[in-house]
């Protein structure tokens, strides 16, 4: 059974930082592409950042230069370091695994950027 468990969300002031974590189980993590997505009420879920099994990364234009995705295969965990946060970054953030053509999602963690 594949499980993705996100953590690290919370309330942060504009300009602040947060680090999200996603712990995976039930897959050979090192062979999975991983990604972070986010969603706000009434909007479609959107890509934030992805990282391939080989470590190549891709970012949405809105977060380039502020967010960094990374992975630790020894810990079966993918991270999203978020700096210079803006109110428009407020969303539920979801972790996704793309594992041999199958997509698995976590339940999400809420990030609120507000003063």
């Amino acid at each position: 059974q594949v499980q993705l468990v996100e953590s690290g969300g919370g309330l942060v002031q504009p300009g602040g930082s947060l680090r999200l974590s996603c712990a995976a189980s039930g897959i050979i993590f090192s062979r999975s592409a991983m990604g972070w997505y986010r969603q706000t009420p009434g909007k479609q879920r959107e890509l934030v950042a992805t990282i391939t099994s080989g470590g190549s990364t891709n970012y949405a234009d809105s977060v380039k230069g502020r967010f960094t995705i990374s992975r630790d295969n020894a810990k079966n965990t993918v991270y999203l370091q978020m700096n210079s946060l803006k109110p428009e970054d407020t969303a539920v953030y979801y972790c996704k695994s793309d594992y041999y053509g199958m997509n698995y999602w976590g339940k999400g963690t809420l990030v609120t950027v507000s003063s």
Side-chain angles (χ1 to χ4, degrees):
Q1 181 181 359
V2 178
Q3 281 194 315
L4 301 174
V5 180
E6 302 97 336
S7 61
L11 174 64
V12 62
Q13 291 188 342
S17 298
L18 279 177
R19 189 177 82 154
L20 305 184
S21 301
C22 171
S25 59
I27 58 173
I28 303 175
F29 181 79
S30 61
R31 298 182 186 176
S32 177
M34 302 296 298
W36 287 98
Y37 293 72
R38 66 187 181 187
Q39 189 170 21
T40 54
K43 293 189 177 180
Q44 287 192 333
R45 195 169 296 187
E46 64 175 6
L47 179 148
V48 176
T50 61
I51 185 166
T52 67
S53 56
S56 296
T57 59
N58 181 55
Y59 296 92
D61 288 342
S62 59
V63 307
K64 279 180 182 176
R66 299 189 298 122
F67 291 11
T68 303
I69 188 171
S70 62
R71 63 190 299 157
D72 186 336
N73 289 340
K75 295 183 178 179
N76 288 358
T77 301
V78 62
Y79 303 98
L80 185 68
Q81 178 67 44
M82 306 187 294
N83 299 329
S84 302
L85 282 160
K86 304 175 181 180
E88 52 263 43
D89 295 317
T90 296
V92 177
Y93 284 72
Y94 296 90
C95 174
K96 189 185 95 167
S97 164
D98 180 355
Y99 187 62
Y100 291 104
M102 296 292 291
N103 291 329
Y104 301 96
W105 293 91
K107 293 183 178 180
T109 185
L110 177 63
V111 172
T112 303
V113 184
S114 175
S115 55

